[in-house]
Amino acid sequence: MAIIYPDISRTFSEYLLLPNLTTKDCTPENIDLRTPITKFAKGEKPAITLNIPIVSAIMQAVSNDTLAIALAKCGGLSFIYCSQPIEEQAEMVRKVKKHKSGFVVSDSNVSVNHTLRDVLAIKEKTGHSTIAVTDDGTANGKLLGIVTGRDYRLSRDPLDKKVSEFMTPFKDLIVGYVGITLSEANDIIWEHKLNALPIIDKDQRLQYLVFRKDYEEHKQNPLQLMDDKKRLMVGAGINTRDYKERVPALLEAEVDILCVDSSDGFSEYQRETIQYIKENYPDAKIGGGNVVDREGFMYLVESGADFVKVGIGGGSICITREQKGIGRGQASAVIEVAQARDEYFEKTGIYIPICSDGGIVHDYHVTLALAMGADFVMMGRYFARFDESPNKKVKRGNSYVKEYWGEGSNRARNWQRYDQGGSVHMKFEEGVDSYVPYAGKLKDNLEVTLSKIRSTMSSCGAKSIKHLQETARLVLVSSTSLIEGGAHDIILKDSEY
Ligand code: IMP
């Protein structure tokens, strides 16, 4: 006989947080939003820690390189969508990894034997006017000099003039050494009125360049999520069909973390995919999902997942529940999976972060998801509203909207996401094509969201996400108290009534 669960499937809006004692040291500025995204053993550190508990959805309308750069600068991470050719996805990853964020690996380099013609060609191609001269013409060769626009005069110098004849040689350069902080590099840049400071190792090999303008930008983004080479971090979605070709291409592009993009992760296809990656690329980090209960969670953990994504049917563009009758209220799903995660940690000493994916409508839903046990949340609709997402902005009536479509809609045709074997093409859609209100820049909106999360955590007396998970008190709300919670029984000044 089928198992009928007696408990109700609940959503975020059915809960509220009770305030706990706010201690004087628990100010919003003191709240630490860092959170693990990859599994780790008790007493050890996770390989990757997010600086804010937010990632962007694996969707065509949401996560491309532009959004990934904007979000990583604010401390979060994007998973570049996989419903596109492998090479195009890998190129988006490459663009994020090459983006300048303080310490830049120089991609415009020459050797002393190159000519002014070569310098101009590089400048034309990359748009960079600071070109490093190294013994072998590579980004990590021995630094022999620098060429900038100040070193040559186009009206006078012949195009075949050798770089060695006009570069500023090493002996005249001001340089920094590996280990220098960005702020120390900036002091040198200002003191000597430089545009760029080369950073070298003890053997004079070039490591990075620090540019004056990048430092200014970096200062405005103190939470930037960076890898150990000081590059922005980025994730990528994969599917259970072409992973044997897609994963090596993404790893070659130096992606930081992968995630299987699937509406239902409790499947042998997903287990095979994760196991193949763990066997063939043991250092690669891979998340699995989506699941909504303890059984699904344990299946993916035992398959080797580094994190597990939770949620079926809660996405704003999702019609899975209507079409197939499967899914679970997002709050109930997160609460059960978080309990399973904690029990697994208790038993094995291994912590598997979980991500609440889909169904975040209000900013406070993020804090509720964290309080219920999520380590981070994934959002699609939220990010689709911003300038940086790749979807089109259009005018509707007097306001602007942006297009937002599900990966399971005919428009995205991401049928790999719904893998149940057999034909790749499904006969019905699991997502819709829609509009969302345009909201401007990612950073401006995210700052508001984060300040609300911090403020709620302060009211709950929680200085970290872990603290919130351990001490939060959640209550169910009645439908009548929902009315009480909004503005009620007054006449709003900007309404027509
Ligand atoms: P949102 O933040 O509520 O818009 O939800 C985004 C999430 O919806 C994604 O991260 C996916 O898990 C899920 N999703 C994306 N496309 C579809 C679809 O076409 N059908 C069902 N779920 C989808």
Side-chain angles (χ1 to χ4, degrees):
M1 206 188 129
I3 300 170
I4 317 277
Y5 286 86
D7 47 324
I8 298 168
S9 175
R10 299 204 182 267
T11 65
F12 292 132
S13 292
E14 290 176 82
Y15 289 89
L16 281 178
L17 281 158
L18 295 181
N20 285 337
L21 176 69
T22 303
T23 49
K24 283 188 182 160
D25 58 343
C26 193
T27 57
E29 308 78 66
N30 275 352
I31 285 167
D32 183 355
L33 291 180
R34 281 177 303 164
T35 191
I37 184 171
T38 50
K39 72 177 163 204
F40 60 94
K42 202 173 187 164
E44 287 176 10
K45 272 194 170 166
I48 306 177
T49 300
L50 298 172
N51 289 335
I52 61 167
I54 293 176
V55 301
S56 70
I58 312 170
M59 297 173 73
Q60 290 177 357
V62 179
S63 297
N64 70 342
D65 48 296
T66 321
L67 189 107
I69 289 168
L71 181 53
K73 280 184 182 172
C74 295
L77 183 102
S78 290
F79 286 90
I80 306 276
Y81 64 92
C82 57
S83 48
Q84 61 175 322
I86 294 171
E87 205 24 60
E88 284 171 29
Q89 189 189 18
E91 186 53 29
M92 286 189 181
V93 168
R94 249 176 247 123
K95 282 188 181 156
V96 182
K97 297 310 291 182
K98 276 197 194 145
H99 182 81
K100 298 181 170 190
S101 75
F103 289 90
V104 179
V105 177
S106 171
D107 62 358
S108 304
N109 310 291
V110 290
S111 73
V112 281
N113 293 325
H114 281 93
T115 61
L116 179 55
R117 184 179 289 107
D118 299 319
V119 167
L120 295 176
I122 290 177
K123 194 175 161 207
E124 168 84 22
K125 194 169 142 215
T126 63
H128 301 154
S129 47
T130 301
I131 292 173
V133 187
T134 56
D135 58 349
D136 57 4
T138 70
N140 288 115
K142 187 170 176 185
L143 184 67
L144 302 179
I146 289 280
V147 172
T148 70
R150 276 180 252 163
D151 293 312
Y152 53 85
R153 267 166 74 183
L154 284 179
S155 53
R156 231 182 42 190
D157 291 330
L159 288 178
D160 52 8
K161 190 169 179 179
K162 283 267 170 59
V163 165
S164 54
E165 294 168 38
F166 63 91
M167 69 182 187
T168 303
F170 184 77
K171 67 175 175 49
D172 298 334
L173 290 178
I174 292 164
V175 296
Y177 287 87
V178 169
I180 190 171
T181 65
L182 211 47
S183 141
E184 287 162 353
N186 187 54
D187 289 344
I188 300 176
I189 287 173
W190 277 92
E191 198 180 318
H192 298 277
K193 297 192 168 74
L194 307 173
N195 279 327
L197 179 73
I199 310 295
I200 57 173
D201 69 7
K202 59 178 184 4
D203 300 321
Q204 205 178 311
R205 298 186 84 79
L206 180 62
Q207 303 297 309
Y208 310 106
L209 294 173
V210 176
F211 291 91
R212 176 193 289 253
K213 62 178 181 346
D214 289 346
Y215 178 74
E216 290 304 317
E217 198 187 276
H218 180 83
K219 244 188 357 194
Q220 288 160 17
N221 297 304
L223 291 176
Q224 279 195 110
L225 188 66
M226 289 191 284
D227 65 16
D228 51 8
K229 292 189 185 146
K230 318 250 190 232
R231 301 170 303 181
L232 293 177
M233 296 186 97
V234 64
I238 61 163
N239 60 60
T240 56
R241 295 246 170 195
D242 63 14
Y243 58 91
K244 289 187 185 161
E245 293 86 49
R246 194 172 289 270
V247 169
L250 292 168
L251 292 175
E252 166 118 27
E254 298 191 83
V255 73
D256 295 287
I257 184 163
L258 302 164
C259 182
V260 188
D261 179 30
S262 169
S263 69
D264 172 10
F266 194 4
S267 78
E268 291 184 340
Y269 305 104
Q270 185 140 161
R271 168 164 281 188
E272 258 173 39
T273 306
I274 295 174
Q275 285 180 342
Y276 177 88
I277 293 166
K278 286 288 168 189
E279 270 158 32
N280 290 279
Y281 309 98
D283 292 337
K285 304 290 170 219
I286 170 99
N290 283 12
V291 299
V292 287
D293 59 10
R294 172 185 304 276
E295 289 76 11
F297 170 77
M298 282 312 302
Y299 188 78
L300 293 183
V301 168
E302 282 158 10
S303 305
D306 286 291
F307 71 89
V308 173
K309 207 143 67 66
V310 181
I312 296 180
S316 56
I317 34 48
C318 175
I319 50 171
T320 301
R321 292 185 200 164
E322 281 171 20
Q323 295 281 54
K324 289 173 60 177
I326 66 156
R328 191 175 198 181
Q330 190 62 14
S332 300
V334 170
I335 291 168
E336 181 172 315
V337 175
Q339 275 167 0
R341 187 252 345 258
D342 290 347
E343 282 163 25
Y344 184 77
F345 181 60
E346 190 73 10
K347 219 165 72 193
T348 63
I350 306 288
Y351 190 89
I352 315 280
I354 62 169
C355 169
S356 172
D357 175 18
I360 301 278
V361 179
H362 303 291
D363 290 331
Y364 81 88
H365 285 171
V366 178
T367 326
L368 281 182
L370 300 172
M372 288 169 184
D375 295 285
F376 58 104
V377 301
M378 175 175 272
M379 297 192 282
R381 187 196 60 86
Y382 179 85
F383 288 108
R385 299 171 304 146
F386 304 149
D387 283 325
E388 293 84 351
S389 56
N391 48 344
K392 214 158 97 202
K393 177 175 149 193
V394 288
K395 195 155 189 201
R396 271 191 109 215
N398 287 331
S399 49
Y400 282 99
V401 290
K402 290 199 86 181
E403 296 182 330
Y404 182 43
W405 61 98
E407 286 294 294
S409 67
N410 270 335
R411 178 163 181 186
R413 296 191 177 281
N414 183 7
W415 306 135
Q416 288 98 330
R417 197 169 183 271
Y418 301 89
D419 204 348
Q420 298 189 320
S423 160
V424 188
H425 299 288
M426 285 175 28
K427 293 195 170 54
F428 60 92
E429 293 177 282
E430 287 199 31
V432 297
D433 193 357
S434 67
Y435 294 117
V436 286
Y438 166 67
K441 285 204 175 330
L442 178 145
K443 188 170 186 227
D444 298 343
N445 285 276
L446 195 55
E447 272 172 7
V448 175
T449 302
L450 293 174
S451 77
K452 286 194 209 167
I453 296 172
R454 288 197 175 95
S455 174
T456 310
M457 287 175 66
S458 165
S459 294
C460 293
K463 278 193 280 185
S464 67
I465 291 170
K466 185 159 185 284
H467 195 189
L468 179 73
Q469 291 168 342
E470 285 167 357
T471 57
R473 293 184 298 148
L474 291 139
V475 281
L476 279 168
V477 291
S478 67
S479 47
T480 41
S481 76
L482 278 178
I483 300 169
E484 184 187 64
H488 62 93
D489 300 305
I490 40 103
I491 299 168
L492 277 177
K493 284 198 177 159
D494 56 2
S495 85
E496 293 168 26
Y497 306 103

